[in-house]
Amino acid sequence: MDISAEDIAALDARHIWHPYAEPGEPTLVVDSAAGVYLTLADGTTLIDAMSSWWAAAHGHSHPRLKAAANEQIERMSHVMFGGLTHEPAARLTRNLMELTRGDFEQVFYSDSGSVSVEVAIKMALQYARGAGHPERTKMLTWRSGYHGDTFAAMSVCDPEGGMHSMWTGTLAQQIFAPAPPTRGASPAERANYLRELEACITEEVAGLIIEPVVQGAGGMRFHDHELVRGVREICDRHGIVLIADEIATGFGRTGELFATQAAGVVPDIMCVGKAMTGGFMTMAATLATAKVAEGMSPRALMHGPTFMANPLACAVSAEATALIAEGHWREQVAGIEKQLQRGFEGLSEEPGVADVRVLGAIGVVEMERDVNMSAATAAAVDQGVWLRPFGRLIYIMPPFISTADEIAQMCRGVRAAVAGGRQ
C-alpha cells in the first residue's frame, strides 16, 4: 500500500538518519526523477544540480540504463562472486580496461567508494609486505582531502578540517602533508610544495593517496596537473605506491576521462565509483597495475563484500561506461564549463564571497564564512534548483545532459543560495 507524503515525512523525521545530520532534520520527499529533474511529492520539480552527489552524470532514469537493469533482472539480480563469475562483470571489466588504456591488470569490485579506498589501502600494505617492507604500515596524503566515511578511508581524510576530527585517537594514525597549492600556482610554488611533500616520507610509508586535480568534499579545491606528475615521481623515487582516488573525478567530470590520464600519469592503484553506474545504484571498483597485483603478499585480497560484482549493478555499470566510451560527454562538459563561467560572472564581487572557481562540470563558490545551509538550500529551491552546500561552499555538479537553459537556472539557484546563505 502506498504511503502518503505526509506519512513519509513523519516516518522520516521520527526514525531515519540522513547523512551528516541529526534525526528529525527537515527533508523534501522525492516522488520520481527523470533527466535532470527531481519531482517532489507535491508536484514541484527541481533541477538536480548535484547529479545526486556527482553520480547521475547522464541524468536520472536514462533509458539505456533502465533497459540494462530490466534485462538483467530477468536473468538474475544477484549471485555470490566467490567461485562464480558472470557476463555483466566480464563486460564491465572489459570496458574499464579499455577506458583506462590497458594500464591496469586487475579490478576488485565493491559496494561503495569508501570501501574501494579500504581495498586500495589493503593492496598498498600487501604490496609493501611483498616487497620485503613489513615496516611500511602508514599512508601519506595531503590535507583538505576526503576519501570516504569507513575507518581506513576516514584515516586519510583531513584530520582537522574534515568531517572526522571527532575520531582522532581512534583512527589509524597516518602522515599528512600540507594541502597542495591551488590551481595556477607558479612553478616555484609547485616545486617547493613537492619538496615539502617528499620530506614527509618516512620508512613507515607504504603509499601515497590523493584525489588528483580536484579535492572533493574536503574543500572542493583544484590544483595543477603538474603536481600529480610530481607526486608520481616522488612515489617512484621511494618505491611506494600511488593511489589515485578518482571516485569523484573519473568518467569526465573535470573535462577529461580521468584526471590522472590528463596529467599523463598512471597510478599504481585507482579507485572509481559514482558515475561508473551513472548514479543508478551503488557500486565501485579498485584497479591495480600488474606490478601491484603480482607483488602483493599474499596475492589474495582478504576482502569479500556480499554483493561484490553484483550482476545487476555490473550490467548497469557496463552500459554507463559504454555511454562514456561513446564520448558525447566531452562536448557536453566543455559546454557546461563555458556556461558556468558565464553564469558565475560577477559572483566574486558579491559580499561574503571569497572565491569562485569552475573546472569541467564543477562550479564552486567559496564563502568567507560557513553557509547557513538551510537558508541557502531554501533560496535555491525557490529558484527550482536542488543543491546541498557544506561548510563555506556552495557548489554544483550538473548532469552532463543539462541544457544551456538548465545550466542558467542552476546558476540563478547558486546566486540565490549565496545571497540567502550569508551569515
Side-chain angles (χ1 to χ4, degrees):
M1 184 173 66
D2 290 341
I3 306 176
S4 70
E6 292 76 14
D7 286 344
I8 292 170
L11 282 164
D12 187 286
R14 185 170 182 179
H15 297 296
I16 300 177
W17 258 309
H18 285 263
Y20 318 116
E22 296 181 2
E25 292 192 15
T27 55
L28 301 178
V29 179
V30 179
D31 182 68
S32 63
V36 304
Y37 291 95
L38 309 175
T39 300
L40 305 187
D42 65 2
T44 301
T45 59
L46 302 176
I47 293 178
D48 183 0
M50 305 295 290
S51 293
S52 280
W53 267 341
W54 328 344
H58 313 292
H60 295 279
S61 302
H62 192 286
R64 283 174 56 177
L65 302 186
K66 288 174 63 176
N70 287 327
E71 181 181 345
Q72 186 58 41
I73 285 172
E74 293 300 319
R75 296 173 63 187
M76 60 177 172
S77 61
H78 181 60
V79 63
M80 64 184 286
F81 211 54
L84 302 173
T85 193
H86 44 75
E87 185 268 346
R91 189 153 42 96
L92 172 58
T93 301
R94 181 183 62 194
N95 289 357
L96 290 175
M97 295 297 111
E98 290 175 353
L99 288 170
T100 55
R101 308 178 301 194
D103 291 333
F104 300 96
E105 182 72 16
Q106 299 290 142
V107 57
F108 191 99
Y109 292 110
S110 55
D111 303 345
S112 71
S114 296
V115 177
S116 76
V117 171
E118 300 272 339
V119 170
I121 292 173
K122 283 186 176 181
M123 288 178 179
L125 295 175
Q126 288 179 218
Y127 179 79
R129 289 185 182 187
H133 291 288
E135 74 281 3
R136 294 180 177 178
T137 59
K138 294 185 180 295
M139 302 301 299
L140 170 63
T141 188
W142 50 33
R143 291 183 182 270
S144 295
Y146 172 83
H147 299 281
D149 296 337
T150 51
F151 267 70
M154 284 196 295
S155 77
V156 289
C157 296
D158 192 300
E160 295 172 3
M163 294 178 280
H164 307 308
S165 58
M166 67 177 289
W167 297 109
T168 300
T170 302
L171 301 173
Q173 299 300 298
Q174 311 292 8
I175 299 172
F176 290 87
T182 54
R183 194 171 182 85
S186 70
E189 289 172 320
R190 294 196 299 265
N192 288 336
Y193 176 79
L194 290 169
R195 282 192 290 271
E196 189 174 6
L197 176 66
E198 188 165 11
C200 293
I201 295 178
T202 70
E203 61 183 15
E204 295 180 290
V205 172
L208 202 165
I209 181 169
I210 64 168
E211 298 159 282
V213 180
V214 176
Q215 293 181 286
M220 298 303 295
R221 299 172 79 253
F222 305 162
H223 54 266
D224 295 301
H225 291 77
E226 288 84 354
L227 280 180
V228 182
R229 290 196 284 273
V231 168
R232 172 74 274 179
E233 292 166 3
I234 289 170
C235 290
D236 290 341
R237 281 196 292 272
H238 293 268
I240 62 175
V241 298
L242 171 59
I243 301 173
D245 177 350
E246 294 236 31
I247 295 164
T249 54
F251 305 111
R253 177 56 63 180
T254 69
E256 301 288 348
L257 184 55
F258 297 102
T260 44
Q261 279 187 6
V265 163
V266 177
D268 300 294
I269 302 168
M270 185 167 77
C271 302
V272 293
K274 291 191 182 291
M276 187 175 77
T277 70
F280 206 91
M281 59 186 60
T282 182
M283 192 181 190
T286 310
L287 289 79
T289 61
K291 180 184 81 171
V292 170
E294 293 166 8
M296 286 169 36
S297 178
R299 289 194 64 196
L301 268 167
M302 302 311 293
H303 203 97
T306 300
F307 289 94
M308 180 178 178
N310 168 258
L312 183 55
C314 283
V316 173
S317 295
E319 193 62 29
T321 50
L323 281 168
I324 290 293
E326 290 166 14
H328 302 300
W329 60 271
R330 291 190 180 277
E331 182 178 343
Q332 292 170 329
V333 173
I336 290 171
E337 183 175 59
K338 292 177 182 176
Q339 291 153 13
L340 289 177
Q341 288 167 343
R342 287 197 298 268
F344 282 8
E345 282 180 0
L347 266 174
S348 59
E349 307 303 319
E350 289 292 314
V353 173
D355 188 45
V356 176
R357 47 191 180 267
V358 172
L359 180 65
I362 307 170
V364 182
V365 179
E366 182 172 349
M367 304 296 288
E368 294 172 350
R369 296 187 177 88
D370 282 354
V371 175
N372 182 324
M373 186 172 67
S374 59
T377 300
V381 166
D382 285 344
Q383 295 295 317
V385 176
W386 173 251
L387 50 75
R388 188 73 169 167
F390 71 91
R392 296 187 300 156
L393 303 172
I394 298 170
Y395 73 99
I396 56 175
M397 297 266 203
F400 298 165
I401 62 169
S402 303
T403 66
D405 286 344
E406 289 160 350
I407 296 294
Q409 186 172 344
M410 292 183 216
C411 291
R412 290 194 293 273
V414 169
R415 288 180 179 276
V418 167
R422 294 190 189 101
Q423 59 178 16

